[in-house]
Amino acid sequence: MSARTHPRPHPATPGGVDIRLPWWALALPALAFVALLALILNPSDAHAASSAPAITHLFERAQQLLAR
């Protein structure tokens, strides 16, 4: 005896998937990134003084990595 197959209730759409994220799903990672960046660039925690600001050094390193 063969079993009956049930047809799909809705046919699959060939278009893209519609996904909506809540506002905090984008805000929290951005806030965490800014907080960690502020911790890295905080000059009061520096052990050695340098003539160039830390943000300039960070951008120079990013530019060197992208140029490779």
Side-chain angles (χ1 to χ4, degrees):
M1 185 191 259
S2 62
R4 282 180 133 183
T5 59
H6 297 286
R8 290 184 141 193
H10 300 288
T13 57
V17 177
D18 184 28
I19 297 175
R20 293 187 179 223
L21 293 175
W23 65 269
W24 51 265
L26 295 175
L28 287 180
L31 182 64
F33 175 76
V34 169
L36 290 174
L37 188 63
L39 287 173
I40 291 171
L41 299 178
N42 190 357
S44 65
D45 292 336
H47 295 288
S50 64
S51 60
I55 190 74
T56 306
H57 181 66
L58 181 68
F59 285 132
E60 287 174 357
R61 293 287 275 189
Q63 188 178 26
Q64 289 173 355
L65 288 174
L66 292 174
R68 288 185 185 184

